[in-house]
């Protein structure tokens, strides 16, 4: 599982960098400066948004992980583009200040939900390439237990991220722009 998380993190970082590199007037046009506008969105809005992203990542269960990886790469590109735009407007330090508090929890939740989306592929590979005398009932039960705990961790992470995005990020933007 650790190798999957590391691989997905590297994919996310790669597409984040691609988003930064692709940020230009010619490719994306003028990105609205929505990151700098304090809107009256509450915890439930951000929580619902994060749950929707989680749901989209979990759809990968039915697509052999394709939709999960796609969701991860698109999110990485959008963050890269948004970070580049915000940096152009307010500089790196303020951009990190606005993104980091909730992103510290939201991005790992996205990576973990992507992992859950590709988990069936992982289990299928275990089934094919592992010893035939493997006790599969024990393994499947253990994996279901792992999935449950990973899902609970994701839920906690997105709750924290939504709280920070709803309350701390607007305060930071209001007081430091």
């Amino acid at each position: 599982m650790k190798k999957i998380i590391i691989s997905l993190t590297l994919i996310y970082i790669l597409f984040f960098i691609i988003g930064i590199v692709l940020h230009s007037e010619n490719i994306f046009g003028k990105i609205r400066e929505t990151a700098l506008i304090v809107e009256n969105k509450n915890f439930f809005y951000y929580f619902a948004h994060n749950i929707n992203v989680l749901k989209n990542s979990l759809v990968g269960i039915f697509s052999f992980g394709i939709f999960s990886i796609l969701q991860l790469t698109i999110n990485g590109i959008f963050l890269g583009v948004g970070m580049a735009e915000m940096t152009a407007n307010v500089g790196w330090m303020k951009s990190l200040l606005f993104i980091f508090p909730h992103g510290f929890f939201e991005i790992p939740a996205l990576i973990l939900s992507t992992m859950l989306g590709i988990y069936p592929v992982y289990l299928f590979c275990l089934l094919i390439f592992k010893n035939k005398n493997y006790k599969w009932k024990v393994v499947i039960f253990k994996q279901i237990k792992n999935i449950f705990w990973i899902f609970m961790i994701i839920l906690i992470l997105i709750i924290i991220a939504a709280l920070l995005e709803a309350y701390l990020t607007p305060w930071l933007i209001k007081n430091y722009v």
Side-chain angles (χ1 to χ4, degrees), residues 16-59:
F16 170 77
I17 292 168
I18 289 171
I20 290 173
V21 170
L22 292 179
H23 174 261
S24 74
E25 297 294 324
N26 296 333
I27 295 174
F28 290 102
K30 182 69 174 153
I31 305 286
R32 285 183 2 169
E33 298 168 13
T34 55
L36 301 177
I37 299 171
V38 178
E39 297 180 12
N40 291 327
K41 294 183 178 162
N42 61 20
F43 163 79
F44 296 105
Y45 171 83
Y46 292 113
F47 181 73
H49 171 73
N50 292 343
I51 287 288
N52 193 37
V53 171
L54 168 66
K55 177 189 66 152
N56 291 341
S57 291
L58 292 177
V59 169

Side-chain angles (χ1 to χ4, degrees), residues 49-78:
H49 171 73
N50 292 343
I51 287 288
N52 193 37
V53 171
L54 168 66
K55 177 189 66 152
N56 291 341
S57 291
L58 292 177
V59 169
I61 291 171
F62 306 106
S63 68
F64 297 104
I66 294 170
F67 288 128
S68 299
I69 298 292
L70 186 61
Q71 175 79 22
L72 184 75
T73 58
I74 289 170
N75 192 287
I77 289 172
F78 281 173

Side-chain angles (χ1 to χ4, degrees), residues 7-22:
S7 299
L8 293 174
T9 302
L10 291 174
I11 289 170
Y12 190 82
I13 291 169
L14 172 68
F15 281 88
F16 170 77
I17 292 168
I18 289 171
I20 290 173
V21 170
L22 292 179

